[in-house]
Amino acid sequence: STTYAGVGEAMAEQFLLGLSVVLQPHVLMYAFFGVLLGQVIGVLPGVGAITAISLLLPVTFYLDPTSSVILLAGIYYGSQYGGAIASILLNLPGTPSSVVTCLEGYPLAQSGRAGFALLVTAISSFIGSMFGVLIVVLAAIPMAALALKFGAPEYTMLVALGLVAASLISSGSPIRAFSMALVGIALGMVGSDANTGQYRFVATDALADGISLVSLAMGLFGVSEIIRNASNVETRKIDIKLSYKDLLPTRAELRSMVSPVGRGASIGAFFGALPGTGAAIAAFMAYALERRISRTPKEFGKGHLPGLCAPESANNAAAQTSFIPTLTLGIPGDAVMALIIGALILNGIIPGPRLIVDEPQLFWGVIASFFVGNIILLIINIPLIGLWVRLLSIPYHRLYPAIVLLICVGVYSHRSSVTDVVLTLVFGLLGYVMKWFRFEPAPVLLGFVLGPMLEENFRRTMLLYSGDFTVFVTRPISATLVFCGVALLVFTFVSAIVSRRKTLKSLKGHSGPFSV
């Protein structure tokens, strides 16, 4: 116990050192500017944190390393907050991780509870972020050691588990949802093969780099919603009363949030700490878990509170813990983390296991900035809820041109490709047709994200272990993931059979009194 007390005191001292760094006026200014810019970037559909960080990367030449990383990190996790705003109000995911937010947040906005939904996401995001910060402080080194044990077989099974969970995201048939995940995998294979360089499913050279995630997300969720509303002759009538009494959740709603937020934060902290996963996968997994364990799964897709707060908690926790492999191992979890590593290298700092020892002020200053920055975001978000909700008072037909323009600018700025803009419109039509035939678009996006990861790690496993499939069940972590995937499939089929039997029994019981 003395040893644990000593470790705790050392952690507290290091965190206080970080606070002393971030609370310096000029560093605090960069933290404030970063989170504010990140929120605005997150609201703009399709632009994303990676665009803002890449544009601001030259600015880091003129800043010290600590201020540079705090600024860029603020943009990253600030965009997680902002991404939920466009998702809830307009069904436009500002970031890939906020795609899941559309599923429950937008129906709440349509029912006149947009302000309530924004407040719930702000609270859930803040709690998830604080949990992620706590995990980074207490478990950076142990979690980095665990991440080192994940090889190609473990990542293959982790991705496969995510694809199985994709069948649980949709509110409709699991088979339909899984088929949509397979469509996403097929779309993810378009482009150049990573190993051989051969073109796959490429009709034009413009697709040599593959389909853009931004283009796919904006089309399936943004453009399709615009088409659906444009084809609806009824005018949009939404109550925009901004009474703070109406914004606050009831005691029952608060109680229903506690467990989902806790589960979401735990899932996000775990997936964020694994290199190559990130906030988007964490949000999908959190939503899938909530729908699987819910006693009222039919409520999902209609503005169900646990389905809103769990993914928001997860993606913000993951945004914090994603810095664990980045700072402690020098392994970027995604493109944003790669840019932040680039900013460190440009400033002469090499991220890795020695960073905590060699640059304690930078390491703990960045971690302390997460704590301060999320408090700033919460303070900024709550007063602005009224402003965001008033967007709904604008007639929808007047919003069409602005929304389409934002989507086109966001998609084009991602890769400077006209083809991506055209594909966005094509995916918009596809998304509209899918919704017409009751196929959910969310599993398509998850399959698109996870498909290339599955292929890459599976091929690497087969090369390393000479095509031996038993490696997936002989390595402890991989075998555990296989067991979880099989258990999830069995549980899904058994629950479907039980549900079908209950439905048939109720139908027989209903027809009994009228039988002759």
Side-chain angles (χ1 to χ4, degrees):
S1 59
T2 305
T3 304
Y4 286 122
V7 172
E9 290 178 4
M11 287 289 186
E13 289 178 4
Q14 296 296 327
F15 187 71
L16 289 175
L17 170 65
L19 280 177
S20 68
V21 172
V22 76
L23 291 178
Q24 297 177 29
H26 71 285
V27 179
L28 188 62
M29 179 188 69
Y30 288 121
F32 175 81
F33 179 70
V35 297
L36 181 62
L37 180 60
Q39 183 177 15
V40 174
I41 290 296
V43 173
L44 298 176
V47 178
I50 187 170
T51 302
I53 290 176
S54 59
L55 290 175
L56 288 175
L57 201 58
V59 177
T60 60
F61 284 112
Y62 307 99
L63 302 178
D64 60 274
T66 303
S67 298
S68 300
V69 178
I70 287 175
L71 172 66
L72 300 182
I75 294 173
Y76 178 53
Y77 60 82
S79 67
Q80 304 298 324
Y81 276 74
I85 296 173
S87 297
I88 291 171
L89 298 182
L90 302 171
N91 202 34
L92 293 173
T95 60
S97 60
S98 60
V99 169
V100 189
T101 308
C102 295
L103 303 179
E104 307 297 335
Y106 187 65
L108 274 174
Q110 292 297 95
S111 64
R113 305 196 73 189
F116 169 77
L118 290 173
L119 181 64
V120 166
T121 55
I123 295 172
S124 303
S125 299
F126 178 76
I127 295 173
S129 297
M130 290 296 102
F131 185 80
V133 172
L134 180 65
I135 294 298
V136 173
V137 172
L138 297 179
I141 297 174
M143 290 185 74
L146 176 63
L148 282 175
K149 296 180 181 179
F150 269 69
E154 285 75 20
Y155 277 112
T156 302
M157 288 298 101
L158 182 65
V159 173
L161 179 61
L163 287 171
V164 172
S167 63
L168 309 178
I169 292 175
S170 173
S171 57
S173 166
I175 296 177
R176 287 189 175 202
F178 198 75
S179 66
M180 289 297 97
L182 295 178
V183 170
I185 293 175
L187 292 174
M189 295 177 68
V190 174
S192 303
D193 184 278
N195 295 321
T196 65
Q198 293 292 321
Y199 286 174
R200 302 186 299 186
F201 310 110
V202 174
T204 172
D205 290 341
L207 291 175
D209 292 331
I211 296 171
S212 166
L213 173 64
V214 174
S215 178
L216 182 64
M218 290 296 99
L220 289 180
F221 288 89
V223 177
S224 65
E225 183 64 22
I226 291 173
I227 296 172
R228 190 181 71 82
N229 283 283
S231 62
N232 188 358
V233 295
E234 296 180 4
T235 57
R236 184 178 60 160
K237 295 180 180 179
I238 295 177
D239 184 12
I240 58 166
K241 293 180 181 179
L242 298 178
S243 169
Y244 280 100
K245 183 179 179 181
D246 296 331
L247 297 183
L248 296 175
T250 63
R251 289 184 179 180
E253 289 171 333
L254 282 174
R255 284 195 296 269
S256 69
M257 289 172 55
V258 173
S259 296
V261 168
R263 286 189 291 265
S266 302
I267 291 172
F270 173 74
F271 280 100
L274 297 176
T277 52
I281 295 176
F284 274 105
M285 295 294 280
Y287 185 85
L289 176 64
E290 290 305 314
R291 188 176 181 277
R292 182 71 274 164
I293 66 176
S294 175
R295 295 181 180 178
T296 56
K298 293 182 179 179
E299 295 296 321
F300 282 78
K302 302 175 183 177
H304 197 40
L305 197 56
L308 175 63
C309 57
E312 278 300 305
S313 176
N315 64 38
N316 282 274
Q320 314 300 320
T321 57
S322 61
F323 282 85
I324 293 176
T326 301
L327 296 179
T328 60
L329 300 177
I331 299 175
D334 53 25
V336 175
M337 293 296 108
L339 286 174
I340 290 177
I341 286 179
L344 284 171
I345 294 174
L346 288 174
N347 282 276
I349 305 294
I350 305 300
R354 296 286 306 173
L355 184 65
I356 303 177
V357 178
D358 297 339
E359 300 288 341
Q361 288 192 334
L362 184 149
F363 182 84
W364 293 104
V366 171
I367 291 175
S369 75
F370 300 160
F371 178 77
V372 175
N374 279 284
I375 293 176
I376 294 173
L377 276 169
L378 186 66
I379 295 173
I380 292 174
N381 265 273
I382 293 177
L384 287 179
I385 286 176
L387 175 64
W388 298 124
V389 174
R390 290 201 178 277
L391 285 174
L392 296 177
S393 64
I394 303 174
Y396 216 160
H397 65 275
R398 294 183 182 177
L399 281 176
Y400 289 150
I403 294 173
V404 173
L405 178 63
L406 284 174
I407 290 174
C408 292
V409 170
V411 171
Y412 182 79
S413 65
H414 180 59
R415 298 197 306 191
S416 301
S417 171
V418 177
T419 304
D420 286 350
V421 178
V422 175
L423 283 176
T424 303
L425 301 178
V426 173
F427 288 132
L429 291 171
L430 177 63
Y432 175 73
V433 173
M434 285 169 56
K435 289 181 180 179
W436 182 268
F437 289 101
R438 294 182 299 169
F439 283 91
E440 294 294 330
V444 176
L445 200 65
L446 184 63
F448 182 82
V449 172
L450 294 182
M453 294 173 58
L454 178 65
E455 179 190 11
E456 178 185 353
N457 286 288
F458 179 75
R459 291 171 71 170
R460 188 179 300 163
T461 302
M462 293 296 98
L463 287 172
L464 290 174
Y465 296 93
S466 303
D468 184 10
F469 284 90
T470 61
V471 67
F472 294 115
V473 292
T474 54
R475 292 169 65 96
I477 298 177
S478 177
T480 302
L481 293 171
V482 170
F483 173 78
C484 292
V486 173
L488 190 60
L489 282 172
V490 171
F491 182 74
T492 301
F493 283 117
V494 169
S495 61
I497 293 171
V498 171
S499 177
R500 181 177 178 81
R501 286 182 177 178
K502 286 182 178 179
T503 303
L504 291 174
K505 185 180 292 185
S506 63
L507 289 174
K508 288 181 180 179
H510 179 72
S511 60
F514 300 97
S515 60
V516 284

